[in-house]
């Protein structure tokens, strides 16, 4: 699909171009509290230094718009020419105020007025301000927060995500406003790729060419988060879908950028796979990789750059083939890499494509200014303590506002409430509320063990 180019104003002059035939723009999101101006400015500078081309900050409340304006002003004074994006969920009034301050605003239509005519009026007011201030918009839909009307009509499905996006893109067209990107994120890689593919077809049919923002949301961390992001995003980029990428990891946001850069450069023809040879036999691909480590920023945790390069390349080389059932498996080999490491990557690849599950599936949001506890540490601990369980989807979410909706189809959820308290969910039901953080993982395990519907009994 050919997307149209849209221009995102840069704070110190000039434009960042999204779409057309350009390499996908790489972006990330601060996980500081927006109200903490100093910490947010420092993190933005660090992310800009690490290669972010756009940086998003959450704007949960009206007071945060003031902080956002201050962050923007300080960054400009420091010569930082990166467009900022306000992430606004529940209030079109906050979106309107934010649109006067930063270069782009992300809205979630699922959180706009449930009555379509009223939602249209809210959008019209926002677009008028965007036009006046030269501000771009992202229509950012998420699996799990599509809003009641769409969910009643289509279910919480890729079809529903596509329909919701098309409704809002038609409104933008009616309003003659096309400085708009669109995203349909999901933590389930299958749901995410299906939704974007459906949207690509629907846009083509109506001659719409809005740029696509790609991302697997709540992908988790470590090798799982990276491989999930790469199989899904590379599948779409290979099909010509995608103009900007955010790799969501429950880690330092700077760690997202080398992975996004890898994807962007690869599909812009600027980076080749380190795949040396492969043969297919009985629907299994046997791949041999060259040890390749030119990008030291890829290293994380206990993995060096050679190993990370191998996992990202294998995910990009074979993700689409596994998704589309062209092959049923893959073996990887690389001189100097152990059997155990290679088998682990194969397992992760099959699980990322949702073809074979060797462990529970983890969903964890990347955290943002709404996060009320040490998400990364807690997520690692939840993974460690539940490593013996198989067949579950276990979610760890940073806030009670968006967490329960966005953990979508998780079996169990650990959701931060703030003030050191946690809610524990089974599916969509909060089984326990206001649990002190220090007791929450033990209680989660007790609930899973005692569950009469326990899957792995
Ligand atoms: S679920 Fe996580 S990333 Fe989403 S708004 Fe809440 S804390 Fe932020």
């Amino acid at each position: 699909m050919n997307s149209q180019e849209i221009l995102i104003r840069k704070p110190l002059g000039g434009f960042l171009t999204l779409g057309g035939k350009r390499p996908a723009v790489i972006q990330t999101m601060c996980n500081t509290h927006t109200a903490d101006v100093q910490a947010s400015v420092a993190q933005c500078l660090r992310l800009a230094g690490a290669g972010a081309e756009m940086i998003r900050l959450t704007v949960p409340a009206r007071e945060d718009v003031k902080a956002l304006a201050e962050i923007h002003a300080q960054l400009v004074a420091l010569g930082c020419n990166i467009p900022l994006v306000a992430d606004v969920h529940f209030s079109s009034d906050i979106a309107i105020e934010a649109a006067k301050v930063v270069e782009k605003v992300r809205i979630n239509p699922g959180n706009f007025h449930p009555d379509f005519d009223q939602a249209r009026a809210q959008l019209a007011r926002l677009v008028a301000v965007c036009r006046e201030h030269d501000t771009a918009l992202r229509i950012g839909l998420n699996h799990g927060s599509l809003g009641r009307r769409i969910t009643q009509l289509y279910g919480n499905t890729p079809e529903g995500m596509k329909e919701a996006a098309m409704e809002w893109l038609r409104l933008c067209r009616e309003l003659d406003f096309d400085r708009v990107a669109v995203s349909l994120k999901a933590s389930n890689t299958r749901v995410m790729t299906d939704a974007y593919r459906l949207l690509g077809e629907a846009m083509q049919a109506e001659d719409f060419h809005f740029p696509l923002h790609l991302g697997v949301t709540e992908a988790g961390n470590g090798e799982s988060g990276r491989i999930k992001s790469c199989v899904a995003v590379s599948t779409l980029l290979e099909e010509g879908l995608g103009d900007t990428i955010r790799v969501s990891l429950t880690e330092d946001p700077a760690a997202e950028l080398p992975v996004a850069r890898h994807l962007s450069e690869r599909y812009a023809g600027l980076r080749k796979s380190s795949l040396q040879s492969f043969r297919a036999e009985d629907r299994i691909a046997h791949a041999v990789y060259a040890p390749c480590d030119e990008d030291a920023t890829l290293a994380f945790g206990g993995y060096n750059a050679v190993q990370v390069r191998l996992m990202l390349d294998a995910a990009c080389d074979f993700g689409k083939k596994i998704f589309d059932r062209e092959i049923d498996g893959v073996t990887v080999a690389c001189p100097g890499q152990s059997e155990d490491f290679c088998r682990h990557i194969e397992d992760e690849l099959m699980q990322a494509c949702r073809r074979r599950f060797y462990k529970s599936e983890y969903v964890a949001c990347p955290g943002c200014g709404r996060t009320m506890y040490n998400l990364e540490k807690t997520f690692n601990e939840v993974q460690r303590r539940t490593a013996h369980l198989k067949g579950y989807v276990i979610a760890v979410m940073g806030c009670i506002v968006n967490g329960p909706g966005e953990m979508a189809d998780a079996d169990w959820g650990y959701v931060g409430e703030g003030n050191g308290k946690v809610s524990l969910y089974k599916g969509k039901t909060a089984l326990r509320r206001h649990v002190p953080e220090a007791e929450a993982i033990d209680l989660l395990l007790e609930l899973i063990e005692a569950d009469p519907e326990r899957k792995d009994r």
Side-chain angles (χ1 to χ4, degrees):
M1 191 192 82
N2 281 335
S3 58
Q4 70 209 21
E5 289 188 349
I6 66 166
L7 299 177
I8 315 282
R9 181 170 47 83
K10 288 189 175 184
L12 288 167
F15 293 94
L16 175 70
T17 309
L18 211 65
K21 295 200 183 311
R22 309 215 169 216
V25 165
I26 67 175
Q27 56 173 297
T28 182
M29 181 163 179
C30 281
N31 62 3
T32 49
H33 291 279
T34 306
D36 186 343
V37 172
Q38 283 326 105
S40 300
V41 167
Q43 191 171 70
C44 286
L45 289 173
R46 195 161 59 79
L47 295 173
E53 295 174 276
M54 266 197 283
I55 301 174
R56 187 156 44 112
L57 295 112
T58 187
V59 189
R62 206 176 259 276
E63 310 83 79
D64 294 304
V65 180
K66 265 198 215 129
L68 186 68
E70 182 57 28
I71 293 164
H72 191 268
Q74 288 197 19
L75 288 169
V76 166
L78 291 163
C80 179
N81 202 18
I82 303 282
L84 297 187
V85 185
D87 195 76
V88 184
H89 274 268
F90 291 98
S91 160
S92 61
D93 290 341
I94 295 177
I96 286 171
E97 291 310 308
K100 298 174 186 168
V101 169
V102 289
E103 288 72 28
K104 190 174 173 199
V105 175
R106 178 268 168 125
I107 53 167
N108 182 349
N111 297 334
F112 267 55
H113 202 287
D115 176 84
F116 190 58
D117 287 333
Q118 300 221 36
R120 182 203 310 248
Q122 288 177 319
L123 181 68
R125 284 198 296 277
L126 173 60
V127 160
V129 175
C130 287
R131 215 191 296 278
E132 189 186 334
H133 291 266
D134 240 353
T135 305
L137 266 188
R138 167 157 66 100
I139 307 291
L141 287 139
N142 278 11
H143 186 226
S145 63
L146 293 178
R148 206 170 350 121
R149 190 174 52 81
I150 289 287
T151 313
Q152 278 168 356
L153 285 172
Y154 304 98
N156 188 18
T157 59
E159 182 76 13
M161 295 165 78
K162 177 265 287 178
E163 286 297 330
M166 287 303 289
E167 267 185 354
W168 282 67
L169 295 178
R170 287 185 203 111
L171 289 182
C172 291
R173 184 51 65 88
E174 254 173 59
L175 294 163
D176 195 23
F177 186 73
D178 61 4
R179 199 173 277 191
V180 176
V182 54
S183 63
L184 298 181
K185 297 191 185 180
S187 59
N188 178 319
T189 51
R190 184 86 254 174
V191 171
M192 181 271 201
T193 47
D194 285 353
Y196 279 100
R197 282 170 161 172
L198 288 172
L199 179 65
E201 285 166 15
M203 289 214 301
Q204 193 99 35
E206 298 195 29
D207 203 22
F208 285 1
H209 300 278
F210 296 99
L212 298 179
H213 166 129
L214 301 184
V216 176
T217 191
E218 289 109 25
N221 64 359
E223 58 273 40
S224 304
R226 284 164 175 79
I227 293 176
K228 266 196 239 177
S229 296
C230 283
V231 294
V233 171
S234 69
T235 293
L236 296 167
L237 289 174
E238 216 164 286
E239 296 171 11
L241 297 170
D243 303 283
T244 176
I245 303 167
R246 194 246 169 140
V247 171
S248 291
L249 296 176
T250 311
E251 295 180 23
D252 178 344
E256 300 176 355
L257 296 164
V259 186
R261 184 161 53 234
H262 179 89
L263 284 159
S264 174
E265 290 182 358
R266 178 178 167 129
Y267 291 94
L270 303 170
R271 192 188 286 238
K272 281 199 166 41
S273 170
S274 57
L275 179 65
Q276 249 181 352
S277 66
F278 94 95
R279 65 187 166 83
E281 219 171 73
D282 297 332
R283 297 178 56 80
I284 305 291
H286 301 283
V288 179
Y289 284 86
C292 191
D293 69 346
E294 85 271 22
D295 186 353
T297 64
L298 287 172
F300 73 90
Y303 295 108
N304 62 36
V306 176
Q307 294 172 313
V308 183
R309 180 69 196 272
L310 194 160
M311 59 179 89
L312 303 191
D313 278 341
C316 294
D317 291 330
F318 297 104
K320 180 169 154 60
K321 290 184 172 67
I322 302 171
F323 263 133
D324 291 347
R325 297 185 176 271
E326 277 177 44
I327 55 173
D328 294 326
V330 61
T331 68
V332 298
C334 179
Q337 299 306 324
S338 70
E339 281 279 316
D340 281 356
F341 172 75
C342 291
R343 295 302 78 79
H344 180 56
I345 297 311
E346 294 160 14
D347 286 340
E348 286 286 341
L349 250 172
M350 293 305 285
Q351 175 140 350
C353 296
R354 304 187 70 83
R355 292 282 308 272
R356 192 174 66 222
F357 293 86
Y358 83 99
K359 64 175 184 184
S360 281
E361 182 70 4
Y362 292 96
V363 169
C365 78
C368 70
R370 289 184 188 268
T371 312
M372 294 300 171
Y373 63 100
N374 188 330
L375 186 60
E376 195 176 340
K377 186 166 156 254
T378 305
F379 179 44
N380 284 331
E381 188 59 11
V382 169
Q383 288 185 91
R384 193 182 69 75
R385 299 278 308 279
T386 57
H388 59 292
L389 299 172
K390 268 193 192 165
Y392 291 98
V393 180
I394 300 173
V396 178
M397 306 299 282
C399 75
I400 198 79
V401 182
N402 291 331
E406 303 217 343
M407 63 193 187
D409 42 16
D411 299 304
W412 293 95
Y414 177 115
V415 181
E417 293 176 5
N419 297 326
K421 299 284 166 45
V422 173
S423 283
L424 298 174
Y425 279 72
K426 181 184 174 196
K428 300 255 170 261
T429 310
L431 289 189
R432 297 283 191 282
R433 292 190 194 275
H434 318 314
V435 180
E437 244 177 80
E439 299 163 21
I441 298 181
D442 285 340
L443 184 55
L444 177 67
L445 277 161
E446 276 173 34
L447 292 172
I448 297 175
E449 302 282 339
D451 181 28
E453 294 159 34
R454 190 174 158 173
K455 290 183 180 181
D456 57 343
R457 219 186 274 281

